[in-house]
Amino acid sequence: MTKRAHNFCAGPCTLPVEVLEEVQQEFVNYHETGMSLIEMSHRAREYDEVHREAMQLAIEVFEVPDDFSVLFIQGGATLQFAMVPMNLLAGGGKAGYVNSGSWAQGAMDDGRHYGNIYTAWDGAENRYTRMPAGDEIAVENVTRYLHITSNETIGGIRFFEWPSVDVPIVADMSSDYMSRRIPWERFDLVYGGVQKNLGPAGMAMVFVRKSVLQEIKPDVARYLRYDVHLDKESLFNTPPVFTIYMVGKVLKWMKEQGGIGAMERRAEKKAAILYDTIDNSGGYYNCPVDEASRSHMNIVFRLPSENREKSFLQETGAENLLNLKGHRSVGGCRASIYNAMPESSVRALAGFMVDFQQRNG
Amino acid sequence: MTKRAHNFCAGPCTLPVEVLEEVQQEFVNYHETGMSLIEMSHRAREYDEVHREAMQLAIEVFEVPDDFSVLFIQGGATLQFAMVPMNLLAGGGKAGYVNSGSWAQGAMDDGRHYGNIYTAWDGAENRYTRMPAGDEIAVENVTRYLHITSNETIGGIRFFEWPSVDVPIVADMSSDYMSRRIPWERFDLVYGGVQKNLGPAGMAMVFVRKSVLQEIKPDVARYLRYDVHLDKESLFNTPPVFTIYMVGKVLKWMKEQGGIGAMERRAEKKAAILYDTIDNSGGYYNCPVDEASRSHMNIVFRLPSENREKSFLQETGAENLLNLKGHRSVGGCRASIYNAMPESSVRALAGFMVDFQQRNG
């Protein structure tokens, strides 16, 4: 059994140790073939099984309806910031974006090269401490889609209520991917980098409603077209074999744990342990986020002073509670508790927080 | 010691077994940190060392001059088909492309979306069985760059003489990357997927002359801009951590083997073993490629009949000599012998070829 750190990193991040150990075991000589899986052709039978199983598990675990397909595309969510409007606005129209923080802004900045994009709600005036309620989002005429960021990793906020708008939703779910059920009927496309809840860095997983790709043939290179990846079942060019293989194993682990419903309950429970610790501290710990919008993945909090935060981060480091520093743009502390983070690690942190307060209150 | 297959796959392909075993050993608990490297932030000290070492080794092993930088970009060579003209033709001008086969055609087709591209030499009339000599390439006025494919994986041909043209060369070196020295003074940009000579699939490695990026600010999303990746040292977004880590280890292995000069000599020697076997077979084995253009990486050959080829592929499979089938578009046989393929495997194949001919001549 490996001695594990409590790793609260915002991503890349903790993966299931059972999965890591299985990958290690079969790494050099995959299923007694005399080769590593990463040495095989992406057209080989062995890899083909891995590829198809990962696709099928993604659909199954996330409870995705039949009219959607899953695509594996390199470049992370960042390349999707470009591909979404490149493809979905190829036939014209405009797109509304909810500006909920850093990641939403990245999506808007990149997207503007490929279409008419406007701000449908702006969180700047609240310093990105909350998400909008459904009726606060202003959708203009001729809007092809509304883009949201379901969870902002830096601000530590999440959509608590999915927008009920008259246009399809496109969501960047990178930082809470497959940690919650979503109402698929409102969505045309969901994307996210896999390096938080699903595996090692190296690609985006994209769920797209197939019918929306039928009319559009964007005037762009083949790698940038969803319809090409769909036609070729994400084997248009050499795919990121190792990433897909590991994502498949993590998905299998999620299925064994009880699927998306179990992930949602685990996330809620783990987040509650930390938010309760904060709320019961009499203001010693303070979460700047509006209560309804509190993320279940990234719990941000402050201590009474920056000096106290410095001691807190030093002492947690010594206790093997790692990577709790807030993002450099906002400061403070942040505990990222993705799907594979065990409840025991969260309890260890909560226990330490109580103890630290007693000693430094 | 792992029982290894003789894996002649065209890519992904054989990697150094020493590297695979080292990666396996440190996979779950990287340097006693209590985490896998793939669970760490890409801003963590441990990963930062890995990242910088890989960059530095790429420059060192390939003997790249100071005015170039190396970039790690997801999407394989295929995304580079778009990014090259998107960036290098952003200021205007046109580009000449040598049409040497499937991969060159892909680069041209994708490139046409982003600039004025013309065919500077066409191998179609010879059915792509040779590369042009330097003086056969017709470069038009106002040409920003000449694009070549240094080695065609499917046709089994390679540039034997680098074009001496008045414009900078851009080369897709995916299938003979770092198996030969190149005259850097003639090049502005060299790119290739890493999944043949350098590591697992999941990114392109791009060497770019820094000065050519100074004037251009293409009107595209940030992920598609070389200047952004250069400014951020390939850490603009979450990089493909595991791929970069493994490429770094393969580069270190190459350095220990004697660097690019040693790789070039090994490649020449291994290729000669197979071409000699073909040439000494009295026509039983036949290589359709023009002698000067014969690839040192992908050795294509035919047998007297398709039936013989079928038996050959069956028997080699039974002898653990694997993945010798030619590409479906051309048929026949192909032995891909990239950098990490041991000479002993090549000798095993050559020995089998002689034996097979004796039994079936």
Side-chain angles (χ1 to χ4, degrees):
Chain A
M1 200 45 196
T2 313
K3 163 101 170 84
R4 295 277 284 170
H6 304 296
N7 177 15
F8 294 94
C9 189
C13 58
T14 299
L15 294 170
V17 68
E18 309 90 299
V19 168
L20 293 171
E21 285 170 346
E22 195 177 303
V23 169
Q24 179 176 48
Q25 191 272 320
E26 63 192 25
F27 187 69
V28 175
N29 187 3
Y30 185 77
H31 294 188
E32 303 306 317
T33 53
M35 310 180 201
S36 177
L37 184 75
I38 60 172
E39 298 181 295
M40 290 181 194
S41 168
H42 53 295
R43 315 281 177 197
R45 187 176 51 74
E46 290 86 352
Y47 177 68
D48 202 61
E49 275 173 22
V50 165
H51 191 84
R52 283 173 208 290
E53 191 182 7
M55 287 171 74
Q56 184 244 308
L57 280 166
I59 296 285
E60 183 185 339
V61 173
F62 207 9
E63 300 175 2
V64 181
D66 284 347
D67 43 343
F68 282 78
S69 275
V70 63
L71 310 175
F72 302 141
I73 306 178
Q74 294 178 53
T78 304
L79 185 58
Q80 295 308 307
F81 294 168
M83 284 182 67
V84 165
M86 222 180 246
N87 285 269
L88 299 190
L89 296 182
K94 53 191 173 180
Y97 278 61
V98 170
N99 177 13
S100 51
S102 298
W103 296 107
Q105 284 159 36
M108 293 174 79
D109 290 347
D110 283 330
R112 286 207 174 87
H113 295 277
Y114 308 104
N116 184 352
I117 278 171
Y118 66 90
T119 305
W121 182 81
D122 198 339
E125 62 193 67
N126 304 303
R127 302 183 63 206
Y128 308 110
T129 53
R130 71 177 186 89
M131 287 289 189
D135 58 1
E136 293 181 285
I137 299 169
V139 173
E140 301 178 4
N141 282 338
V142 209
T143 291
R144 173 65 192 84
Y145 63 85
L146 175 74
H147 183 281
I148 64 169
T149 309
S150 58
N151 183 84
E152 285 279 354
T153 328
I154 295 175
I157 57 177
R158 74 164 200 153
F159 265 89
F160 52 100
E161 174 184 31
W162 298 110
S164 45
V165 285
D166 290 336
V167 299
I169 303 174
V170 169
D172 173 4
M173 292 197 77
S174 297
S175 58
D176 63 352
Y177 225 173
M178 295 209 191
S179 70
R180 58 198 301 199
R181 284 200 177 89
I182 65 170
W184 285 101
E185 67 280 4
R186 298 194 211 169
F187 291 80
D188 262 5
L189 191 146
V190 171
Y191 68 93
V194 297
Q195 72 274 9
K196 297 178 197 289
N197 272 336
L198 288 162
M203 68 176 192
M205 188 182 272
V206 179
F207 295 94
V208 61
R209 190 184 292 277
K210 284 174 273 189
S211 56
V212 310
L213 301 182
Q214 274 160 8
E215 313 96 275
I216 51 170
K217 290 285 169 283
D219 178 24
V220 299
R222 295 163 301 164
Y223 197 83
L224 299 170
R225 285 170 51 179
Y226 290 129
D227 62 323
V228 169
H229 291 285
L230 180 70
D231 285 350
K232 301 290 185 182
E233 301 180 277
S234 300
L235 287 164
F236 164 59
N237 68 338
T238 315
V241 164
F242 185 77
T243 301
I244 292 170
Y245 156 73
M246 278 210 66
V247 166
K249 289 209 183 277
V250 172
L251 286 165
K252 201 171 158 205
W253 172 87
M254 283 169 63
K255 184 180 169 183
E256 287 161 3
Q257 300 287 314
I260 192 78
M263 291 300 123
E264 191 163 4
R265 289 188 296 277
R266 280 164 63 111
E268 202 173 337
K269 187 174 177 197
K270 288 186 293 182
I273 293 169
L274 293 181
Y275 287 123
D276 285 350
T277 306
I278 292 165
D279 293 343
N280 293 333
S281 72
Y284 187 81
Y285 298 106
N286 171 46
C287 173
V289 171
D290 199 73
E291 198 166 329
S293 295
R294 285 172 166 185
S295 170
H296 290 184
M297 295 285 120
N298 313 101
I299 287 84
V300 296
F301 56 96
R302 305 297 310 235
L303 273 74
S305 70
E306 291 195 2
N307 267 342
R308 280 279 188 278
E309 284 169 354
K310 210 170 152 187
S311 320
F312 181 85
L313 292 170
Q314 273 170 354
E315 290 192 31
T316 46
E319 294 289 326
N320 211 20
L321 297 156
L322 304 180
N323 300 321
L324 285 159
K325 197 172 176 186
H327 191 269
R328 60 188 181 283
S329 62
V330 293
C333 302
R334 172 175 58 178
S336 294
I337 53 171
Y338 296 111
N339 284 354
M341 167 68 71
E343 190 182 313
S344 56
S345 290
V346 175
R347 291 203 180 278
L349 173 59
F352 178 86
M353 287 170 73
V354 170
D355 178 61
F356 184 87
Q357 183 182 357
Q358 281 170 354
R359 287 185 287 108
N360 300 275
Chain B
M1 199 48 195
T2 313
K3 163 100 169 88
R4 294 277 282 169
H6 304 295
N7 177 15
F8 294 93
C9 189
C13 59
T14 298
L15 294 171
V17 67
E18 309 90 300
V19 168
L20 293 171
E21 286 170 345
E22 196 177 303
V23 168
Q24 180 176 47
Q25 190 272 321
E26 62 193 26
F27 186 70
V28 176
N29 186 4
Y30 184 77
H31 294 186
E32 304 304 318
T33 53
M35 308 178 201
S36 177
L37 185 74
I38 61 173
E39 298 181 294
M40 291 183 195
S41 168
H42 52 295
R43 315 282 177 196
R45 187 176 52 74
E46 289 86 353
Y47 177 69
D48 201 62
E49 274 174 23
V50 165
H51 191 84
R52 282 172 209 292
E53 191 181 8
M55 288 172 74
Q56 185 243 307
L57 280 166
I59 296 286
E60 183 185 340
V61 173
F62 207 11
E63 301 176 0
V64 180
D66 284 348
D67 43 343
F68 282 78
S69 274
V70 63
L71 310 176
F72 301 141
I73 306 178
Q74 293 177 53
T78 304
L79 185 57
Q80 295 308 305
F81 294 168
M83 284 182 66
V84 164
M86 221 180 245
N87 285 267
L88 299 189
L89 296 181
K94 54 190 173 181
Y97 277 60
V98 170
N99 178 14
S100 51
S102 299
W103 295 107
Q105 283 159 36
M108 292 174 78
D109 290 346
D110 283 329
R112 286 207 175 88
H113 294 277
Y114 308 104
N116 184 352
I117 279 171
Y118 66 91
T119 305
W121 182 81
D122 198 339
E125 62 193 69
N126 304 302
R127 300 184 64 205
Y128 309 110
T129 54
R130 70 177 187 92
M131 288 291 190
D135 59 2
E136 292 181 286
I137 299 168
V139 173
E140 300 178 4
N141 282 337
V142 209
T143 290
R144 172 66 192 83
Y145 63 85
L146 174 74
H147 182 280
I148 64 169
T149 309
S150 57
N151 184 84
E152 285 279 354
T153 328
I154 295 175
I157 57 176
R158 74 164 199 152
F159 265 89
F160 51 101
E161 174 185 32
W162 298 109
S164 46
V165 287
D166 290 336
V167 299
I169 304 174
V170 169
D172 173 4
M173 293 197 75
S174 296
S175 60
D176 64 352
Y177 225 174
M178 294 208 191
S179 70
R180 59 199 301 199
R181 285 201 177 86
I182 65 171
W184 285 101
E185 67 281 4
R186 298 193 212 169
F187 291 79
D188 262 6
L189 191 144
V190 171
Y191 68 92
V194 297
Q195 73 275 11
K196 297 176 197 288
N197 272 336
L198 288 162
M203 67 176 192
M205 189 183 273
V206 179
F207 295 94
V208 60
R209 190 184 292 278
K210 283 175 273 188
S211 56
V212 310
L213 301 182
Q214 274 160 10
E215 313 96 273
I216 52 170
K217 291 283 170 284
D219 178 24
V220 299
R222 294 164 302 165
Y223 197 83
L224 299 169
R225 286 169 52 178
Y226 290 129
D227 62 321
V228 168
H229 291 285
L230 180 69
D231 286 350
K232 300 291 185 184
E233 301 180 277
S234 299
L235 287 164
F236 163 59
N237 68 337
T238 315
V241 165
F242 185 76
T243 301
I244 293 170
Y245 156 74
M246 278 210 65
V247 166
K249 290 211 184 274
V250 173
L251 286 166
K252 199 171 161 208
W253 173 87
M254 284 170 63
K255 184 180 169 183
E256 287 161 3
Q257 300 288 310
I260 192 77
M263 291 301 121
E264 192 163 2
R265 288 188 297 277
R266 279 166 63 111
E268 203 173 336
K269 188 175 177 197
K270 287 186 293 183
I273 293 169
L274 295 181
Y275 288 122
D276 285 351
T277 305
I278 291 166
D279 293 343
N280 294 333
S281 72
Y284 187 82
Y285 298 106
N286 171 47
C287 172
V289 171
D290 200 71
E291 199 168 329
S293 295
R294 286 172 166 185
S295 170
H296 290 183
M297 296 285 119
N298 312 101
I299 287 84
V300 296
F301 56 96
R302 305 297 308 237
L303 273 72
S305 70
E306 291 196 1
N307 267 341
R308 281 279 188 276
E309 284 168 354
K310 210 171 152 187
S311 321
F312 182 85
L313 292 170
Q314 274 170 353
E315 292 193 28
T316 45
E319 294 289 326
N320 211 20
L321 297 155
L322 304 179
N323 300 321
L324 285 158
K325 195 169 178 187
H327 191 269
R328 61 188 180 281
S329 62
V330 294
C333 303
R334 172 175 58 177
S336 295
I337 53 170
Y338 297 111
N339 284 354
M341 166 68 71
E343 190 182 312
S344 56
S345 290
V346 175
R347 290 202 181 280
L349 173 59
F352 178 85
M353 287 169 74
V354 171
D355 178 60
F356 183 88
Q357 184 183 356
Q358 282 170 353
R359 287 185 286 108
N360 300 277

